[in-house]
Amino acid sequence: MDNNPPFNTQFDKIERPIGAKLIIIITALLLLSLGAITILASALISNDIRITAEDNNYTINRRSAQEAENFLTMVRSNTLVLLDTINAAGTASPVARLASDFFFERNQQIAFIGVVRETANGYNLIRSLTNERFFLSNELDFSVTGVFLSVH
């Protein structure tokens, strides 16, 4: 006689083994958790990049504004020294002409210096100095200063 117990044939075949089911469940959990972490990290990193870019823009703008302010302060200071020199030497003296030539040689980006006085009708031009080299190097007509001053 056969010592083996009888097996029901319907249980002999296992459709999906428990190991395969565990692998599928663990893989699904890993994919879901990795997907959630990736989405969260992407959102946080993009927000951080936006904040960093805004901070960099602010820093660059602040630095540019400071450089422009320093440049304008320097030009104002140099112009006041030139005007004091011209007043001390006399407007028609050769020293005044030499001082303005030196000034415009060192400050080639300045086209025109005008001293104005406020009146009831607006502003009147009292004294002006023109950087002829600026106009020649930029191929501009000297008469544009008069047009500009009449408009503004």
Side-chain angles (χ1 to χ4, degrees):
M1 171 159 201
D2 192 15
N3 288 340
N4 290 338
F7 287 104
N8 194 344
T9 57
Q10 69 182 12
F11 292 115
D12 285 346
K13 292 185 180 180
I14 300 175
E15 279 186 37
R16 295 188 184 157
I18 190 79
K21 291 178 185 177
L22 284 174
I23 289 174
I24 291 172
I25 291 171
I26 291 171
T27 303
L29 286 173
L30 281 173
L31 288 176
L32 286 173
S33 63
L34 287 175
I37 289 171
T38 302
I39 290 170
L40 183 63
S42 295
L44 293 174
I45 288 172
S46 66
N47 189 32
D48 186 50
I49 288 172
R50 182 184 56 79
I51 290 171
T52 303
E54 288 175 359
D55 187 43
N56 286 342
N57 285 339
Y58 174 74
T59 302
I60 289 169
N61 289 339
R62 190 181 66 223
R63 190 174 300 143
S64 297
Q66 185 64 42
E67 286 177 17
E69 185 177 344
N70 290 343
F71 175 75
L72 291 174
T73 301
M74 180 194 65
V75 167
R76 181 179 182 274
S77 169
N78 291 343
T79 303
L80 290 174
V81 169
L82 172 66
L83 293 175
D84 288 342
T85 303
I86 290 173
N87 283 337
T91 57
S93 72
V95 174
R97 181 68 185 155
L98 188 61
S100 66
D101 287 344
F102 283 147
F103 176 81
F104 286 129
E105 185 177 314
R106 289 190 181 97
N107 299 286
Q108 295 177 5
Q109 69 279 8
I110 298 175
F112 180 83
I113 296 174
V115 178
V116 295
R117 178 173 290 150
E118 186 175 8
T119 63
N121 298 335
Y123 293 98
N124 288 336
L125 185 64
I126 298 171
R127 183 179 303 149
S128 67
L129 299 169
T130 304
N131 185 356
E132 295 172 4
R133 284 183 228 146
F134 177 87
F135 287 95
L136 292 174
S137 66
N138 291 305
E139 298 178 359
L140 296 172
D141 186 16
F142 292 115
S143 64
V144 295
T145 56
V147 173
F148 179 80
L149 291 174
S150 66
V151 171
H152 293 80

